[in-house]
Amino acid sequence: MKRVIFDTDIGIDDAMALLFLHYAQGVRIEAITTVSGNASIADTTRNACYVRERFGIDARVFRGASGPVGPALGQGHPDFVHGKNGLGDISFSEPLQGAELQSAAEAIVELAEAYPGEITVVAVGRLSNLAKALVLCPRLPELLKEVIVMGGVFMRRGHQGNVSPVAEANMAGDPAAADKVLGSGLSVTVVGLDVTEETIMDEAFVETLQTQAGDAGSFIYDITRFYFDFYEGINDERRCPIHDSSAVAYLLAPQHYEVEVGPTRVVSEGVAMGQTILGLYPERYASDAWQGRPDVRVCTSVDAAAVKTLYLETLALAGK
Ligand code: BDR
Ligand code: CA
């Protein structure tokens, strides 16, 4: 059984990823930890509690960082992508149960200590909570099994950033935190735009969910109206990348991904703020910025059809 902490700025694609985890076989969600990003920390925490309650997810929710640990690219929240409430502006009532008193960072440390070598953190927002957890517990790399991060872009096959030519949103939202996590010695796999933008969902995909995945399918259909409107506005097509669920797909089926391995930096200032740079040959560089840094795995290629099938088959369990 995989014990998972889902660390999220729960907006539309995060909610889809949480349902993917919830209905996956052999996964135990130990906690949902929230972070500011797609919406404010108050809204992402409320959204986590709402999705937990609506779908009967047996996991505690811990409120996390309300802002980045260092300078970040941009301000505010992308309500033009995820809606003002972070869930595509669907209406819903306040969840009955709220978050725990403990912070997200404290919860990550406590769970890592309770289950040494067993916990995987699937981090699909800014890495602020993990950076804070590393401060609380510097030996976290010895305690966590692995961290799977949705974030970054490595310019493979022409992929570029989504908040600047070189930066992806989760990395740009807290570059110092991301650079700390990627250099910490945690066992990290990065699932970035190079693969999430190859894994595309369209209206037919969502309609299949709507007919086969019960209330989960209806919910996904409803929250993706706003999301598709946004993508149609920029691309003229009602289709979009499957970002956060790709990190869950890597957890469940890493064989669907090809990885490159090496030390990876996140640029934390200047015009390239948020850029992720894999240094495959540290000893060849004049710069020592990659020297002595631990390796991370970077996903550079994906069997997108297999990932989408896995998502649909897993969510179909919600309709049974
Ligand atoms: C990432 O940014 C957030 O808006 C999404 O939820 C995803 O985690 C994509 O760049
Ligand atoms: Ca996210």
Side-chain angles (χ1 to χ4, degrees), residues 109 112-114 116 133-144 184-186:
V109 172
E113 285 173 338
L134 282 163
V135 173
L136 291 177
C137 178
R139 66 185 195 99
L140 201 60
E142 295 160 36
L143 297 174
L144 286 177
S184 65
L186 283 162

Side-chain angles (χ1 to χ4, degrees), residues 4-237:
V4 174
I5 297 173
F6 186 63
D7 189 46
T8 174
D9 60 331
I10 187 161
I12 293 167
D13 63 318
D14 305 65
M16 290 184 66
L18 176 54
L19 291 173
F20 193 13
L21 262 186
H22 176 51
Y23 291 107
Q25 303 288 299
V27 170
R28 160 98 192 111
I29 305 175
E30 294 291 346
I32 303 167
T33 52
T34 61
V35 65
S36 156
N38 289 327
S40 69
I41 190 63
D43 285 348
T44 59
T45 305
R46 190 252 348 265
N47 293 351
C49 292
Y50 170 69
V51 174
R52 168 180 66 174
E53 201 161 291
R54 175 160 169 176
F55 295 98
I57 300 172
D58 178 21
R60 290 177 294 166
V61 171
F62 297 90
R63 181 185 170 111
S66 59
V69 303
L73 182 62
Q75 288 176 341
H77 308 288
D79 56 6
F80 50 91
V81 183
H82 294 268
K84 286 198 170 32
N85 69 5
L87 289 178
D89 286 342
I90 62 162
S91 61
F92 56 88
S93 41
E94 279 294 312
L96 299 175
Q97 200 186 340
E100 308 295 315
L101 291 177
Q102 235 181 346
S103 73
E106 289 167 341
I108 290 169
V109 172
E110 189 180 291
L111 282 162
E113 285 173 338
Y115 300 106
E118 287 191 60
I119 299 275
T120 297
V121 179
V122 176
V124 297
R126 302 168 180 177
L127 295 177
S128 323
N129 293 332
L130 270 169
K132 289 179 176 219
L134 282 163
V135 173
L136 291 177
C137 178
R139 66 185 195 99
L140 201 60
E142 295 160 36
L143 297 174
L144 286 177
K145 180 177 180 195
E146 64 174 329
V147 177
I148 303 171
V149 174
M150 190 280 128
V153 60
F154 296 86
M155 311 293 169
R156 300 299 191 270
R157 289 178 309 282
H159 289 283
Q160 296 200 346
N162 58 5
V163 290
S164 89
V166 295
E168 180 280 331
N170 289 339
M171 294 289 163
D174 198 347
D179 196 51
K180 181 176 178 71
V181 170
L182 269 50
S184 65
L186 283 162
S187 175
V188 176
T189 301
V190 182
V191 182
L193 301 182
D194 311 85
V195 290
T196 68
E197 289 184 346
E198 300 278 324
T199 314
I200 300 295
M201 69 175 192
D202 56 13
E203 285 283 29
F205 183 88
V206 176
E207 280 159 14
T208 303
L209 289 168
Q210 191 188 24
T211 53
Q212 295 184 359
D215 189 40
S218 304
F219 173 66
I220 291 169
Y221 182 85
D222 291 344
I223 61 177
T224 52
R225 298 310 83 205
F226 195 100
Y227 208 47
F228 278 138
D229 287 348
F230 164 73
Y231 279 101
E232 189 174 24
I234 55 173
N235 295 329
D236 270 344
E237 287 180 314

Side-chain angles (χ1 to χ4, degrees), residues 151-154 166-167 171 182 190 264-267 272 274-278:
V153 60
F154 296 86
V166 295
M171 294 289 163
L182 269 50
V190 182
T264 300
R265 299 301 310 249
V266 183
V267 179
Q275 181 174 10
T276 42
I277 310 175
L278 170 64

